[in-house]
């Protein structure tokens, strides 16, 4: 089964109830080709919400990363507290703008609808040199901006991750 979207098709694998887009270039990732995994898409009440979020996501420019460089740098500094220069993961990053040199972006973002607000979120798992076990998760609300980042935990917001509604608009929650 297939569904048409503005940037190609969503293919449903009926054997596994999984949906994936055809390969699509993502602008802010230097036009890297990604296949987006869509959770519960075939059963969703408004597939257009998925399409809109995907359009937003693939058309973002690099400012989306620049806007959160300081938060990623804070994440790096929080992890650095547990490392010594002898550790394999140890890297020296001098400024927030330099963090991206140590991040490798994934190419299979996951698109899902969050129950509590019915909005679409796109989660992108990344490898980062300073935290090789848990990496870096970037979550994009409606595919438009990064609303959460930090070690990969699968949550779409910090309020979900910590069970605290006061953290709904917190992009990065310091460890400690």
């Amino acid at each position: 089964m297939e569904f048409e979207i503005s940037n190609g098709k969503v293919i449903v694998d009926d054997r596994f109830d999984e949906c994936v887009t055809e390969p699509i270039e993502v602008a802010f990732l230097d036009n890297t080709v990604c296949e987006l995994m869509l959770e519960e898409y075939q059963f969703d009440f408004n597939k257009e919400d998925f399409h809109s979020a995907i359009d937003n996501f693939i058309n973002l420019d690099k400012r989306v990363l620049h806007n959160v460089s300081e938060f990623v740098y804070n994440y790096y500094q929080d992890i650095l507290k547990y490392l010594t220069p002898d550790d394999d993961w140890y890297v020296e990053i001098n400024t927030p703008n330099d963090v991206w040199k140590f991040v490798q972006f994934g190419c299979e973002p996951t698109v899902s609808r969050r129950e509590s607000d019915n909005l679409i979120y796109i989660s992108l798992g990344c490898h980062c040199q300073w935290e090789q076990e848990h990496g870096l998760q970037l979550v994009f609300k409606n595919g438009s901006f990064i609303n959460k980042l930090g070690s990969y935990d699968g949550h779409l917001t910090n309020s979900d991750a910590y069970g605290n509604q006061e953290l709904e608009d917190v992009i990065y929650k310091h460890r400690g």
Side-chain angles (χ1 to χ4, degrees), residues 20-24 33-38 107-110:
V20 63
T21 65
E22 290 181 320
I24 302 173
V33 175
C34 294
E35 292 180 346
L36 287 79
M37 307 297 292
L38 287 70
C107 60
E108 289 187 348
T110 301

Side-chain angles (χ1 to χ4, degrees), residues 85-175:
D86 294 334
D87 290 322
D88 291 341
W89 300 357
Y90 184 87
V91 293
E92 289 190 28
I93 304 174
N94 297 318
T95 69
N97 290 330
D98 292 336
V99 294
W100 300 112
K101 297 174 187 173
F102 300 90
V103 174
Q104 297 166 333
F105 299 98
C107 60
E108 289 187 348
T110 301
V111 186
S112 15
R113 184 179 296 281
R114 183 173 170 230
E115 275 187 42
S116 62
D117 60 10
N118 277 324
L119 297 176
I120 302 297
Y121 292 79
I122 300 178
S123 177
L124 179 63
C126 308
H127 297 286
C128 60
Q129 196 167 336
W130 68 87
E131 192 6 323
Q132 295 176 16
E133 185 175 344
H134 299 104
L136 171 66
Q137 178 185 17
L138 302 173
V139 181
F140 300 77
K141 189 174 189 174
N142 287 323
S144 298
F145 61 92
I146 296 172
N147 66 287
K148 177 187 181 285
L149 63 84
S151 63
Y152 195 94
D153 64 8
H155 292 286
L156 300 175
T157 66
N158 276 306
S159 63
D160 291 346
Y162 293 94
N164 182 346
Q165 188 59 35
E166 292 178 14
L167 300 175
E168 181 68 19
D169 296 321
V170 173
I171 295 172
Y172 176 68
K173 182 173 180 329
H174 285 280
R175 292 180 171 203

Side-chain angles (χ1 to χ4, degrees), residues 1-3 10-20 41-42:
M1 181 185 320
E2 294 181 353
F3 296 95
V10 173
I11 300 152
V12 179
D13 185 336
D14 291 324
R15 296 171 300 157
F16 303 106
D17 283 335
E18 293 180 352
C19 297
V20 63
Y41 174 82
Q42 67 271 40

Side-chain angles (χ1 to χ4, degrees), residues 29-47:
L29 298 177
D30 296 327
N31 293 320
T32 297
V33 175
C34 294
E35 292 180 346
L36 287 79
M37 307 297 292
L38 287 70
E39 293 185 337
E40 303 292 325
Y41 174 82
Q42 67 271 40
F43 309 112
D44 197 80
F45 62 91
N46 188 356
K47 291 175 180 56

